[in-house]
Amino acid sequence: MTAGLPADTTGDRTPEKPDSAVVRDALGVGVAVGLSGFAFGVTSAGSGLTVLQTCALSLLVFTGASQFALVGALAGGGNPFTAAAGAFFLGVRNAFYGLRLSQLLALPRAVRPFAAHWVIDETTAVSLAQPTRRAARIGFTVTGLSLYVLWNLTTLLGALGAEAIGDTDVWGLDAAGPAVFLALLAPMLRTTTERAVAAIAVVLGLGLLPVLPAGVPVLVAALAAPAVLYVEGRKGATGAGAEEEARRNDPQKENR
C-alpha cells in the first residue's frame, strides 16, 4: 500500500465503511450543494448572460466559485478578460486537488479525463474523508454525479426563472454562492497559516473592491498565499539560524 493512501484490504488497521454510508454522505453533499445552482442560474441571467451561456458555464466549467466570480465581475462592469482571469485563478486549486486524488483513487487511464471534470471542492472533501480506496471511489463518483446533474438542472431552472424573480439583490440570491463557498472553506482552515492566508485574502479583496475594476481584487487577493508562505519561511530560517548560533556559543550544548 502506498504511504498516505487509504487502506484497501480488511487486514489493514483502517476500519472499513459500509458502501451505503458512503453513498448517503456523498448524496447529502451532492444534493445540498447542487441546489445552489439555482442561485447561480438566477445571478448569471441577471448579470446579462443568456440561458445558453449560463448553462454552458455549468456544463463545461463546473466549479461554482469560479462561475460566481466570473458572473459577479461581469455584473460589476468588469472587463471580460479580467473576469475570466479571476475565475481561472480560483479554479487553479482544482489542479492541486487532482494531484492528490490521482494517487488516492488510482483510476484507469481511460477514465481519468472524464473524472477530472468532477475534481472540485466537494468531491475532494468526500473522497479524502473515506477510510479505504474503494470508499473514496464510491464517494467521488456519487458526489460528482449527483452534484453535476443537480447543479446543471437547477442552473437551467434558475436562468429560466430569473425574469419572474426579478432583482436578485432583493432576494439575496446573489450572496448564496459566496455563502456556500465560505461554508465549505471554513472547516478546511485548520492551521494558523491557512487562517492567515484566508484573513489577508479577505482584507485585500474587500479593501480593494471600491478602488479597482471588478475582477482585479480577486487576483490581488491570491497574493496572500505566497506572502504568508514567504513570511513563514523567513521565520523558519531565522529560528534555525538562531538555534545554530546558540549551539556555536554553547560548547556543552554542542556536545550533547
Side-chain angles (χ1 to χ4, degrees), residues 144-186:
L145 179 60
S146 60
L147 182 50
Y148 187 74
V149 171
L150 192 55
W151 177 271
N152 281 283
L153 177 61
T154 54
T155 293
L156 174 60
L157 294 176
L160 292 174
E163 293 184 2
I165 291 176
D167 188 1
T168 57
D169 292 341
V170 175
W171 292 84
L173 292 176
D174 56 322
V180 171
F181 183 71
L182 290 176
L184 292 169
L185 178 65

PDB file of all heavy atoms in Angstrom, residues 144-186:
ATOM      1  N   GLY A 144     -19.811  13.411  -7.354  1.00  0.00           N
ATOM      2  CA  GLY A 144     -19.654  14.064  -8.651  1.00  0.00           C
ATOM      3  C   GLY A 144     -20.888  13.949  -9.524  1.00  0.00           C
ATOM      4  O   GLY A 144     -21.335  14.938 -10.110  1.00  0.00           O
ATOM      5  N   LEU A 145     -21.453  12.746  -9.601  1.00  0.00           N
ATOM      6  CA  LEU A 145     -22.620  12.530 -10.454  1.00  0.00           C
ATOM      7  C   LEU A 145     -23.840  13.292  -9.958  1.00  0.00           C
ATOM      8  O   LEU A 145     -24.496  14.004 -10.731  1.00  0.00           O
ATOM      9  CB  LEU A 145     -22.935  11.034 -10.527  1.00  0.00           C
ATOM     10  CG  LEU A 145     -24.153  10.645 -11.372  1.00  0.00           C
ATOM     11  CD1 LEU A 145     -23.969  11.079 -12.814  1.00  0.00           C
ATOM     12  CD2 LEU A 145     -24.405   9.144 -11.283  1.00  0.00           C
ATOM     13  N   SER A 146     -24.149  13.160  -8.670  1.00  0.00           N
ATOM     14  CA  SER A 146     -25.334  13.826  -8.127  1.00  0.00           C
ATOM     15  C   SER A 146     -25.200  15.342  -8.187  1.00  0.00           C
ATOM     16  O   SER A 146     -26.156  16.049  -8.532  1.00  0.00           O
ATOM     17  CB  SER A 146     -25.579  13.374  -6.680  1.00  0.00           C
ATOM     18  OG  SER A 146     -24.468  13.691  -5.849  1.00  0.00           O
ATOM     19  N   LEU A 147     -24.018  15.837  -7.890  1.00  0.00           N
ATOM     20  CA  LEU A 147     -23.799  17.283  -7.902  1.00  0.00           C
ATOM     21  C   LEU A 147     -23.829  17.835  -9.324  1.00  0.00           C
ATOM     22  O   LEU A 147     -24.417  18.893  -9.573  1.00  0.00           O
ATOM     23  CB  LEU A 147     -22.470  17.614  -7.229  1.00  0.00           C
ATOM     24  CG  LEU A 147     -22.080  19.085  -7.094  1.00  0.00           C
ATOM     25  CD1 LEU A 147     -23.208  19.908  -6.493  1.00  0.00           C
ATOM     26  CD2 LEU A 147     -20.824  19.212  -6.243  1.00  0.00           C
ATOM     27  N   TYR A 148     -23.225  17.121 -10.260  1.00  0.00           N
ATOM     28  CA  TYR A 148     -23.187  17.592 -11.648  1.00  0.00           C
ATOM     29  C   TYR A 148     -24.593  17.658 -12.243  1.00  0.00           C
ATOM     30  O   TYR A 148     -24.973  18.654 -12.878  1.00  0.00           O
ATOM     31  CB  TYR A 148     -22.313  16.672 -12.482  1.00  0.00           C
ATOM     32  CG  TYR A 148     -22.064  17.166 -13.890  1.00  0.00           C
ATOM     33  CD1 TYR A 148     -21.198  18.226 -14.135  1.00  0.00           C
ATOM     34  CD2 TYR A 148     -22.698  16.573 -14.973  1.00  0.00           C
ATOM     35  CE1 TYR A 148     -20.967  18.689 -15.424  1.00  0.00           C
ATOM     36  CE2 TYR A 148     -22.474  17.021 -16.269  1.00  0.00           C
ATOM     37  CZ  TYR A 148     -21.607  18.078 -16.483  1.00  0.00           C
ATOM     38  OH  TYR A 148     -21.384  18.529 -17.761  1.00  0.00           O
ATOM     39  N   VAL A 149     -25.359  16.600 -12.032  1.00  0.00           N
ATOM     40  CA  VAL A 149     -26.724  16.556 -12.580  1.00  0.00           C
ATOM     41  C   VAL A 149     -27.602  17.631 -11.940  1.00  0.00           C
ATOM     42  O   VAL A 149     -28.299  18.387 -12.631  1.00  0.00           O
ATOM     43  CB  VAL A 149     -27.347  15.160 -12.376  1.00  0.00           C
ATOM     44  CG1 VAL A 149     -28.822  15.180 -12.743  1.00  0.00           C
ATOM     45  CG2 VAL A 149     -26.606  14.126 -13.212  1.00  0.00           C
ATOM     46  N   LEU A 150     -27.561  17.701 -10.616  1.00  0.00           N
ATOM     47  CA  LEU A 150     -28.443  18.639  -9.922  1.00  0.00           C
ATOM     48  C   LEU A 150     -28.014  20.082 -10.145  1.00  0.00           C
ATOM     49  O   LEU A 150     -28.856  20.976 -10.316  1.00  0.00           O
ATOM     50  CB  LEU A 150     -28.461  18.308  -8.420  1.00  0.00           C
ATOM     51  CG  LEU A 150     -29.530  19.004  -7.581  1.00  0.00           C
ATOM     52  CD1 LEU A 150     -30.924  18.744  -8.147  1.00  0.00           C
ATOM     53  CD2 LEU A 150     -29.458  18.527  -6.129  1.00  0.00           C
ATOM     54  N   TRP A 151     -26.709  20.344 -10.150  1.00  0.00           N
ATOM     55  CA  TRP A 151     -26.212  21.707 -10.374  1.00  0.00           C
ATOM     56  C   TRP A 151     -26.640  22.222 -11.737  1.00  0.00           C
ATOM     57  O   TRP A 151     -27.082  23.365 -11.869  1.00  0.00           O
ATOM     58  CB  TRP A 151     -24.688  21.720 -10.240  1.00  0.00           C
ATOM     59  CG  TRP A 151     -24.055  23.045 -10.527  1.00  0.00           C
ATOM     60  CD1 TRP A 151     -23.625  23.519 -11.738  1.00  0.00           C
ATOM     61  CD2 TRP A 151     -23.806  24.097  -9.583  1.00  0.00           C
ATOM     62  NE1 TRP A 151     -23.108  24.787 -11.615  1.00  0.00           N
ATOM     63  CE2 TRP A 151     -23.210  25.163 -10.302  1.00  0.00           C
ATOM     64  CE3 TRP A 151     -24.017  24.230  -8.211  1.00  0.00           C
ATOM     65  CZ2 TRP A 151     -22.822  26.348  -9.683  1.00  0.00           C
ATOM     66  CZ3 TRP A 151     -23.623  25.414  -7.601  1.00  0.00           C
ATOM     67  CH2 TRP A 151     -23.043  26.455  -8.324  1.00  0.00           C
ATOM     68  N   ASN A 152     -26.513  21.394 -12.752  1.00  0.00           N
ATOM     69  CA  ASN A 152     -26.885  21.822 -14.106  1.00  0.00           C
ATOM     70  C   ASN A 152     -28.395  21.963 -14.260  1.00  0.00           C
ATOM     71  O   ASN A 152     -28.869  22.873 -14.947  1.00  0.00           O
ATOM     72  CB  ASN A 152     -26.334  20.833 -15.133  1.00  0.00           C
ATOM     73  CG  ASN A 152     -24.861  21.058 -15.411  1.00  0.00           C
ATOM     74  OD1 ASN A 152     -24.476  21.974 -16.133  1.00  0.00           O
ATOM     75  ND2 ASN A 152     -24.016  20.231 -14.812  1.00  0.00           N
ATOM     76  N   LEU A 153     -29.144  21.088 -13.614  1.00  0.00           N
ATOM     77  CA  LEU A 153     -30.602  21.189 -13.681  1.00  0.00           C
ATOM     78  C   LEU A 153     -31.089  22.463 -12.997  1.00  0.00           C
ATOM     79  O   LEU A 153     -31.917  23.206 -13.556  1.00  0.00           O
ATOM     80  CB  LEU A 153     -31.242  19.962 -13.026  1.00  0.00           C
ATOM     81  CG  LEU A 153     -32.771  19.950 -12.957  1.00  0.00           C
ATOM     82  CD1 LEU A 153     -33.372  20.004 -14.354  1.00  0.00           C
ATOM     83  CD2 LEU A 153     -33.260  18.707 -12.215  1.00  0.00           C
ATOM     84  N   THR A 154     -30.573  22.741 -11.813  1.00  0.00           N
ATOM     85  CA  THR A 154     -31.012  23.936 -11.086  1.00  0.00           C
ATOM     86  C   THR A 154     -30.478  25.211 -11.734  1.00  0.00           C
ATOM     87  O   THR A 154     -31.101  26.269 -11.631  1.00  0.00           O
ATOM     88  CB  THR A 154     -30.576  23.868  -9.612  1.00  0.00           C
ATOM     89  OG1 THR A 154     -29.154  23.641  -9.531  1.00  0.00           O
ATOM     90  CG2 THR A 154     -31.301  22.742  -8.884  1.00  0.00           C
ATOM     91  N   THR A 155     -29.329  25.115 -12.398  1.00  0.00           N
ATOM     92  CA  THR A 155     -28.833  26.267 -13.167  1.00  0.00           C
ATOM     93  C   THR A 155     -29.828  26.636 -14.261  1.00  0.00           C
ATOM     94  O   THR A 155     -30.151  27.820 -14.460  1.00  0.00           O
ATOM     95  CB  THR A 155     -27.464  25.955 -13.802  1.00  0.00           C
ATOM     96  OG1 THR A 155     -26.480  25.818 -12.779  1.00  0.00           O
ATOM     97  CG2 THR A 155     -27.043  27.070 -14.746  1.00  0.00           C
ATOM     98  N   LEU A 156     -30.303  25.631 -14.979  1.00  0.00           N
ATOM     99  CA  LEU A 156     -31.284  25.870 -16.043  1.00  0.00           C
ATOM    100  C   LEU A 156     -32.563  26.463 -15.468  1.00  0.00           C
ATOM    101  O   LEU A 156     -33.098  27.451 -16.010  1.00  0.00           O
ATOM    102  CB  LEU A 156     -31.598  24.565 -16.766  1.00  0.00           C
ATOM    103  CG  LEU A 156     -32.712  24.606 -17.810  1.00  0.00           C
ATOM    104  CD1 LEU A 156     -32.364  25.595 -18.923  1.00  0.00           C
ATOM    105  CD2 LEU A 156     -32.978  23.224 -18.378  1.00  0.00           C
ATOM    106  N   LEU A 157     -33.053  25.911 -14.372  1.00  0.00           N
ATOM    107  CA  LEU A 157     -34.281  26.424 -13.756  1.00  0.00           C
ATOM    108  C   LEU A 157     -34.087  27.856 -13.277  1.00  0.00           C
ATOM    109  O   LEU A 157     -34.971  28.702 -13.430  1.00  0.00           O
ATOM    110  CB  LEU A 157     -34.690  25.526 -12.581  1.00  0.00           C
ATOM    111  CG  LEU A 157     -35.115  24.096 -12.945  1.00  0.00           C
ATOM    112  CD1 LEU A 157     -35.396  23.297 -11.677  1.00  0.00           C
ATOM    113  CD2 LEU A 157     -36.340  24.117 -13.850  1.00  0.00           C
ATOM    114  N   GLY A 158     -32.940  28.140 -12.697  1.00  0.00           N
ATOM    115  CA  GLY A 158     -32.662  29.496 -12.219  1.00  0.00           C
ATOM    116  C   GLY A 158     -32.580  30.499 -13.348  1.00  0.00           C
ATOM    117  O   GLY A 158     -33.103  31.615 -13.244  1.00  0.00           O
ATOM    118  N   ALA A 159     -31.928  30.107 -14.440  1.00  0.00           N
ATOM    119  CA  ALA A 159     -31.802  31.015 -15.587  1.00  0.00           C
ATOM    120  C   ALA A 159     -33.157  31.284 -16.223  1.00  0.00           C
ATOM    121  O   ALA A 159     -33.460  32.422 -16.608  1.00  0.00           O
ATOM    122  CB  ALA A 159     -30.836  30.417 -16.609  1.00  0.00           C
ATOM    123  N   LEU A 160     -33.975  30.245 -16.326  1.00  0.00           N
ATOM    124  CA  LEU A 160     -35.305  30.420 -16.915  1.00  0.00           C
ATOM    125  C   LEU A 160     -36.226  31.237 -16.009  1.00  0.00           C
ATOM    126  O   LEU A 160     -37.087  31.980 -16.491  1.00  0.00           O
ATOM    127  CB  LEU A 160     -35.946  29.047 -17.179  1.00  0.00           C
ATOM    128  CG  LEU A 160     -35.289  28.207 -18.281  1.00  0.00           C
ATOM    129  CD1 LEU A 160     -35.932  26.825 -18.340  1.00  0.00           C
ATOM    130  CD2 LEU A 160     -35.388  28.895 -19.629  1.00  0.00           C
ATOM    131  N   GLY A 161     -36.032  31.115 -14.704  1.00  0.00           N
ATOM    132  CA  GLY A 161     -36.904  31.824 -13.776  1.00  0.00           C
ATOM    133  C   GLY A 161     -36.403  33.188 -13.350  1.00  0.00           C
ATOM    134  O   GLY A 161     -37.034  33.846 -12.513  1.00  0.00           O
ATOM    135  N   ALA A 162     -35.248  33.620 -13.905  1.00  0.00           N
ATOM    136  CA  ALA A 162     -34.657  34.895 -13.484  1.00  0.00           C
ATOM    137  C   ALA A 162     -35.596  36.066 -13.728  1.00  0.00           C
ATOM    138  O   ALA A 162     -35.717  36.978 -12.892  1.00  0.00           O
ATOM    139  CB  ALA A 162     -33.335  35.118 -14.215  1.00  0.00           C
ATOM    140  N   GLU A 163     -36.291  36.069 -14.870  1.00  0.00           N
ATOM    141  CA  GLU A 163     -37.177  37.186 -15.182  1.00  0.00           C
ATOM    142  C   GLU A 163     -38.355  37.235 -14.222  1.00  0.00           C
ATOM    143  O   GLU A 163     -38.803  38.307 -13.816  1.00  0.00           O
ATOM    144  CB  GLU A 163     -37.676  37.059 -16.618  1.00  0.00           C
ATOM    145  CG  GLU A 163     -36.592  37.239 -17.661  1.00  0.00           C
ATOM    146  CD  GLU A 163     -37.159  37.209 -19.070  1.00  0.00           C
ATOM    147  OE1 GLU A 163     -38.396  37.079 -19.204  1.00  0.00           O
ATOM    148  OE2 GLU A 163     -36.368  37.312 -20.032  1.00  0.00           O
ATOM    149  N   ALA A 164     -38.864  36.075 -13.830  1.00  0.00           N
ATOM    150  CA  ALA A 164     -40.005  36.046 -12.912  1.00  0.00           C
ATOM    151  C   ALA A 164     -39.603  36.498 -11.517  1.00  0.00           C
ATOM    152  O   ALA A 164     -40.378  37.144 -10.804  1.00  0.00           O
ATOM    153  CB  ALA A 164     -40.591  34.635 -12.858  1.00  0.00           C
ATOM    154  N   ILE A 165     -38.357  36.178 -11.115  1.00  0.00           N
ATOM    155  CA  ILE A 165     -37.899  36.536  -9.765  1.00  0.00           C
ATOM    156  C   ILE A 165     -37.596  38.019  -9.670  1.00  0.00           C
ATOM    157  O   ILE A 165     -37.857  38.648  -8.653  1.00  0.00           O
ATOM    158  CB  ILE A 165     -36.664  35.694  -9.405  1.00  0.00           C
ATOM    159  CG1 ILE A 165     -37.075  34.236  -9.212  1.00  0.00           C
ATOM    160  CG2 ILE A 165     -35.999  36.213  -8.133  1.00  0.00           C
ATOM    161  CD1 ILE A 165     -35.915  33.306  -8.953  1.00  0.00           C
ATOM    162  N   GLY A 166     -37.040  38.575 -10.741  1.00  0.00           N
ATOM    163  CA  GLY A 166     -36.714  39.998 -10.727  1.00  0.00           C
ATOM    164  C   GLY A 166     -35.318  40.249 -10.205  1.00  0.00           C
ATOM    165  O   GLY A 166     -34.388  39.480 -10.471  1.00  0.00           O
ATOM    166  N   ASP A 167     -35.154  41.288  -9.414  1.00  0.00           N
ATOM    167  CA  ASP A 167     -33.857  41.700  -8.907  1.00  0.00           C
ATOM    168  C   ASP A 167     -33.340  40.682  -7.886  1.00  0.00           C
ATOM    169  O   ASP A 167     -33.938  40.483  -6.831  1.00  0.00           O
ATOM    170  CB  ASP A 167     -33.966  43.084  -8.262  1.00  0.00           C
ATOM    171  CG  ASP A 167     -32.608  43.650  -7.882  1.00  0.00           C
ATOM    172  OD1 ASP A 167     -31.588  42.980  -8.142  1.00  0.00           O
ATOM    173  OD2 ASP A 167     -32.564  44.753  -7.298  1.00  0.00           O
ATOM    174  N   THR A 168     -32.181  40.056  -8.181  1.00  0.00           N
ATOM    175  CA  THR A 168     -31.629  39.061  -7.267  1.00  0.00           C
ATOM    176  C   THR A 168     -31.136  39.683  -5.963  1.00  0.00           C
ATOM    177  O   THR A 168     -31.056  39.005  -4.942  1.00  0.00           O
ATOM    178  CB  THR A 168     -30.457  38.321  -7.932  1.00  0.00           C
ATOM    179  OG1 THR A 168     -29.466  39.283  -8.334  1.00  0.00           O
ATOM    180  CG2 THR A 168     -30.922  37.554  -9.156  1.00  0.00           C
ATOM    181  N   ASP A 169     -30.803  40.981  -5.997  1.00  0.00           N
ATOM    182  CA  ASP A 169     -30.356  41.642  -4.774  1.00  0.00           C
ATOM    183  C   ASP A 169     -31.470  41.695  -3.737  1.00  0.00           C
ATOM    184  O   ASP A 169     -31.225  41.618  -2.533  1.00  0.00           O
ATOM    185  CB  ASP A 169     -29.869  43.066  -5.076  1.00  0.00           C
ATOM    186  CG  ASP A 169     -28.590  43.063  -5.893  1.00  0.00           C
ATOM    187  OD1 ASP A 169     -27.908  42.015  -5.907  1.00  0.00           O
ATOM    188  OD2 ASP A 169     -28.282  44.101  -6.513  1.00  0.00           O
ATOM    189  N   VAL A 170     -32.708  41.830  -4.188  1.00  0.00           N
ATOM    190  CA  VAL A 170     -33.842  41.895  -3.270  1.00  0.00           C
ATOM    191  C   VAL A 170     -34.024  40.570  -2.542  1.00  0.00           C
ATOM    192  O   VAL A 170     -34.307  40.518  -1.352  1.00  0.00           O
ATOM    193  CB  VAL A 170     -35.129  42.268  -4.038  1.00  0.00           C
ATOM    194  CG1 VAL A 170     -36.332  42.221  -3.101  1.00  0.00           C
ATOM    195  CG2 VAL A 170     -34.981  43.656  -4.657  1.00  0.00           C
ATOM    196  N   TRP A 171     -33.828  39.464  -3.258  1.00  0.00           N
ATOM    197  CA  TRP A 171     -33.995  38.135  -2.686  1.00  0.00           C
ATOM    198  C   TRP A 171     -32.746  37.649  -1.965  1.00  0.00           C
ATOM    199  O   TRP A 171     -32.794  36.672  -1.222  1.00  0.00           O
ATOM    200  CB  TRP A 171     -34.352  37.142  -3.796  1.00  0.00           C
ATOM    201  CG  TRP A 171     -35.705  37.377  -4.395  1.00  0.00           C
ATOM    202  CD1 TRP A 171     -36.022  38.256  -5.384  1.00  0.00           C
ATOM    203  CD2 TRP A 171     -36.929  36.747  -4.023  1.00  0.00           C
ATOM    204  NE1 TRP A 171     -37.359  38.223  -5.678  1.00  0.00           N
ATOM    205  CE2 TRP A 171     -37.949  37.281  -4.855  1.00  0.00           C
ATOM    206  CE3 TRP A 171     -37.278  35.772  -3.090  1.00  0.00           C
ATOM    207  CZ2 TRP A 171     -39.276  36.885  -4.770  1.00  0.00           C
ATOM    208  CZ3 TRP A 171     -38.599  35.370  -3.017  1.00  0.00           C
ATOM    209  CH2 TRP A 171     -39.584  35.920  -3.843  1.00  0.00           C
ATOM    210  N   GLY A 172     -31.630  38.297  -2.214  1.00  0.00           N
ATOM    211  CA  GLY A 172     -30.387  37.872  -1.580  1.00  0.00           C
ATOM    212  C   GLY A 172     -29.746  36.666  -2.238  1.00  0.00           C
ATOM    213  O   GLY A 172     -28.804  36.092  -1.700  1.00  0.00           O
ATOM    214  N   LEU A 173     -30.231  36.277  -3.424  1.00  0.00           N
ATOM    215  CA  LEU A 173     -29.677  35.109  -4.093  1.00  0.00           C
ATOM    216  C   LEU A 173     -28.273  35.356  -4.615  1.00  0.00           C
ATOM    217  O   LEU A 173     -27.525  34.410  -4.856  1.00  0.00           O
ATOM    218  CB  LEU A 173     -30.589  34.692  -5.253  1.00  0.00           C
ATOM    219  CG  LEU A 173     -31.951  34.133  -4.860  1.00  0.00           C
ATOM    220  CD1 LEU A 173     -32.781  33.863  -6.109  1.00  0.00           C
ATOM    221  CD2 LEU A 173     -31.804  32.860  -4.040  1.00  0.00           C
ATOM    222  N   ASP A 174     -27.905  36.612  -4.798  1.00  0.00           N
ATOM    223  CA  ASP A 174     -26.564  36.907  -5.272  1.00  0.00           C
ATOM    224  C   ASP A 174     -25.504  36.542  -4.236  1.00  0.00           C
ATOM    225  O   ASP A 174     -24.327  36.386  -4.556  1.00  0.00           O
ATOM    226  CB  ASP A 174     -26.445  38.399  -5.634  1.00  0.00           C
ATOM    227  CG  ASP A 174     -26.828  39.305  -4.464  1.00  0.00           C
ATOM    228  OD1 ASP A 174     -27.780  38.953  -3.743  1.00  0.00           O
ATOM    229  OD2 ASP A 174     -26.176  40.342  -4.298  1.00  0.00           O
ATOM    230  N   ALA A 175     -25.924  36.399  -2.979  1.00  0.00           N
ATOM    231  CA  ALA A 175     -24.985  36.045  -1.904  1.00  0.00           C
ATOM    232  C   ALA A 175     -24.955  34.551  -1.629  1.00  0.00           C
ATOM    233  O   ALA A 175     -24.138  34.084  -0.831  1.00  0.00           O
ATOM    234  CB  ALA A 175     -25.357  36.789  -0.618  1.00  0.00           C
ATOM    235  N   ALA A 176     -25.820  33.791  -2.279  1.00  0.00           N
ATOM    236  CA  ALA A 176     -25.908  32.349  -1.998  1.00  0.00           C
ATOM    237  C   ALA A 176     -24.625  31.627  -2.372  1.00  0.00           C
ATOM    238  O   ALA A 176     -24.139  30.778  -1.629  1.00  0.00           O
ATOM    239  CB  ALA A 176     -27.096  31.750  -2.743  1.00  0.00           C
ATOM    240  N   GLY A 177     -24.074  31.945  -3.535  1.00  0.00           N
ATOM    241  CA  GLY A 177     -22.851  31.278  -3.977  1.00  0.00           C
ATOM    242  C   GLY A 177     -21.681  31.514  -3.043  1.00  0.00           C
ATOM    243  O   GLY A 177     -21.059  30.557  -2.564  1.00  0.00           O
ATOM    244  N   PRO A 178     -21.340  32.777  -2.762  1.00  0.00           N
ATOM    245  CA  PRO A 178     -20.251  33.025  -1.818  1.00  0.00           C
ATOM    246  C   PRO A 178     -20.501  32.413  -0.448  1.00  0.00           C
ATOM    247  O   PRO A 178     -19.559  31.939   0.201  1.00  0.00           O
ATOM    248  CB  PRO A 178     -20.223  34.570  -1.733  1.00  0.00           C
ATOM    249  CG  PRO A 178     -20.774  35.018  -3.038  1.00  0.00           C
ATOM    250  CD  PRO A 178     -21.828  34.024  -3.391  1.00  0.00           C
ATOM    251  N   ALA A 179     -21.750  32.396  -0.001  1.00  0.00           N
ATOM    252  CA  ALA A 179     -22.065  31.815   1.310  1.00  0.00           C
ATOM    253  C   ALA A 179     -21.778  30.320   1.331  1.00  0.00           C
ATOM    254  O   ALA A 179     -21.203  29.794   2.289  1.00  0.00           O
ATOM    255  CB  ALA A 179     -23.530  32.078   1.661  1.00  0.00           C
ATOM    256  N   VAL A 180     -22.164  29.632   0.258  1.00  0.00           N
ATOM    257  CA  VAL A 180     -21.895  28.193   0.162  1.00  0.00           C
ATOM    258  C   VAL A 180     -20.395  27.941   0.123  1.00  0.00           C
ATOM    259  O   VAL A 180     -19.875  27.036   0.791  1.00  0.00           O
ATOM    260  CB  VAL A 180     -22.571  27.597  -1.091  1.00  0.00           C
ATOM    261  CG1 VAL A 180     -22.121  26.155  -1.313  1.00  0.00           C
ATOM    262  CG2 VAL A 180     -24.088  27.653  -0.937  1.00  0.00           C
ATOM    263  N   PHE A 181     -19.679  28.755  -0.644  1.00  0.00           N
ATOM    264  CA  PHE A 181     -18.226  28.584  -0.753  1.00  0.00           C
ATOM    265  C   PHE A 181     -17.541  28.788   0.600  1.00  0.00           C
ATOM    266  O   PHE A 181     -16.655  28.026   0.986  1.00  0.00           O
ATOM    267  CB  PHE A 181     -17.675  29.576  -1.774  1.00  0.00           C
ATOM    268  CG  PHE A 181     -16.206  29.436  -2.009  1.00  0.00           C
ATOM    269  CD1 PHE A 181     -15.704  28.347  -2.694  1.00  0.00           C
ATOM    270  CD2 PHE A 181     -15.331  30.393  -1.539  1.00  0.00           C
ATOM    271  CE1 PHE A 181     -14.339  28.206  -2.917  1.00  0.00           C
ATOM    272  CE2 PHE A 181     -13.971  30.265  -1.745  1.00  0.00           C
ATOM    273  CZ  PHE A 181     -13.471  29.180  -2.435  1.00  0.00           C
ATOM    274  N   LEU A 182     -17.959  29.811   1.335  1.00  0.00           N
ATOM    275  CA  LEU A 182     -17.371  30.063   2.651  1.00  0.00           C
ATOM    276  C   LEU A 182     -17.695  28.937   3.632  1.00  0.00           C
ATOM    277  O   LEU A 182     -16.862  28.563   4.459  1.00  0.00           O
ATOM    278  CB  LEU A 182     -17.876  31.403   3.207  1.00  0.00           C
ATOM    279  CG  LEU A 182     -17.348  32.653   2.503  1.00  0.00           C
ATOM    280  CD1 LEU A 182     -18.006  33.906   3.080  1.00  0.00           C
ATOM    281  CD2 LEU A 182     -15.828  32.753   2.641  1.00  0.00           C
ATOM    282  N   ALA A 183     -18.911  28.412   3.535  1.00  0.00           N
ATOM    283  CA  ALA A 183     -19.300  27.309   4.419  1.00  0.00           C
ATOM    284  C   ALA A 183     -18.443  26.074   4.164  1.00  0.00           C
ATOM    285  O   ALA A 183     -18.113  25.321   5.095  1.00  0.00           O
ATOM    286  CB  ALA A 183     -20.773  26.972   4.222  1.00  0.00           C
ATOM    287  N   LEU A 184     -18.057  25.848   2.916  1.00  0.00           N
ATOM    288  CA  LEU A 184     -17.196  24.721   2.584  1.00  0.00           C
ATOM    289  C   LEU A 184     -15.746  24.988   2.966  1.00  0.00           C
ATOM    290  O   LEU A 184     -15.008  24.084   3.358  1.00  0.00           O
ATOM    291  CB  LEU A 184     -17.271  24.428   1.083  1.00  0.00           C
ATOM    292  CG  LEU A 184     -18.603  23.883   0.573  1.00  0.00           C
ATOM    293  CD1 LEU A 184     -18.605  23.893  -0.952  1.00  0.00           C
ATOM    294  CD2 LEU A 184     -18.832  22.471   1.082  1.00  0.00           C
ATOM    295  N   LEU A 185     -15.332  26.245   2.857  1.00  0.00           N
ATOM    296  CA  LEU A 185     -13.947  26.601   3.104  1.00  0.00           C
ATOM    297  C   LEU A 185     -13.609  26.646   4.585  1.00  0.00           C
ATOM    298  O   LEU A 185     -12.527  26.201   5.002  1.00  0.00           O
ATOM    299  CB  LEU A 185     -13.642  27.962   2.463  1.00  0.00           C
ATOM    300  CG  LEU A 185     -12.231  28.521   2.667  1.00  0.00           C
ATOM    301  CD1 LEU A 185     -11.209  27.616   1.985  1.00  0.00           C
ATOM    302  CD2 LEU A 185     -12.130  29.934   2.115  1.00  0.00           C
ATOM    303  N   ALA A 186     -14.515  27.170   5.396  1.00  0.00           N
ATOM    304  CA  ALA A 186     -14.230  27.398   6.809  1.00  0.00           C
ATOM    305  C   ALA A 186     -13.700  26.164   7.542  1.00  0.00           C
ATOM    306  O   ALA A 186     -12.698  26.259   8.271  1.00  0.00           O
ATOM    307  CB  ALA A 186     -15.474  27.940   7.508  1.00  0.00           C
TER     308      ALA A 186
END
